[in-house]
Amino acid sequence: MSAVSAPRIEVIHGVNLDQLGRRDPAHYGRLDLPALERQIDAWARPLGLTPSFFQTNHEGALVEHLHGLRGSAEAIIINPGAWTHYAYAIHDALEIAGLPAVEVHLSAVKQREAWRQTSVISDLCVATVSGKGPEGYLEALQILKKELAG
Ligand code: DQA
């Protein structure tokens, strides 16, 4: 059987996402990061997925975290924050990780400033979910569940 029994999903938040709760609620809602992570955990468990969480404001730390992921996770959910739009080193590290990934944005990045409309990681991701608030992470979990069962 190829499917892993309780797939481990690494949920990664990049720069400034530790500041959720202090950021513009019109774009990012009112949950702080610990509350968002608890919600993601509560959605993942009934789907038979085991989430782990990582956040950093340091690009090199995220690069090194991605380098170490193979063997400790089966898939990735990643919201890189502003790194999404320009951080080619995150692109290359995600490629090295070599795991199925879904890109999530709380806000509707395609309807915001022009510079937010580029993602340097979306070519590596099985899907991008944006503008759905916390529910975007539920959608990402459901996408990865199907992807891993595939
Ligand atoms: C974000 C969108 C980015 O443009 C922004 O820099 C963030 C958060 C989102 O979740 O909507 O920090 O990734």
Side-chain angles (χ1 to χ4, degrees):
M1 191 166 108
S2 66
V4 180
S5 60
R8 295 162 298 182
I9 311 295
E10 188 72 13
V11 181
I12 296 173
H13 286 101
V15 62
N16 290 316
L17 288 162
D18 59 329
Q19 298 300 307
L20 288 175
R22 296 176 62 194
R23 299 186 69 180
D24 183 352
H27 290 303
Y28 303 115
R30 296 195 183 276
L31 289 186
D32 63 14
L33 185 60
L36 176 62
E37 290 178 346
R38 282 195 298 277
Q39 177 63 78
I40 295 167
D41 190 82
W43 279 325
R45 304 275 167 188
L47 289 170
L49 302 172
T50 305
S52 302
F53 298 96
F54 180 78
Q55 190 278 329
T56 183
N57 292 320
H58 301 276
E59 187 177 344
L62 180 47
V63 165
E64 291 185 353
H65 188 71
L66 287 165
H67 291 173
L69 268 190
R70 211 183 299 204
S72 62
E74 277 70 49
I76 297 170
I77 293 174
I78 185 164
N79 180 349
W83 287 328
T84 304
H85 312 302
Y86 64 90
Y88 296 107
I90 303 291
H91 172 281
D92 288 354
L94 189 59
E95 187 170 39
I96 290 164
L99 297 171
V102 174
E103 173 185 2
V104 175
H105 301 286
L106 290 159
S107 68
V109 281
K110 297 285 182 203
Q111 287 151 41
R112 298 183 64 193
E113 300 94 320
W115 61 268
R116 290 188 204 273
Q117 295 179 24
T118 297
S119 166
V120 301
I121 65 159
S122 56
D123 64 307
L124 296 173
C125 294
V126 297
T128 297
V129 182
S130 67
K132 299 190 172 171
E135 280 72 15
Y137 293 84
L138 173 58
E139 192 172 322
L141 289 164
Q142 290 164 337
I143 290 166
L144 287 175
K145 186 179 164 77
K146 278 201 196 110
E147 182 75 17
L148 293 169

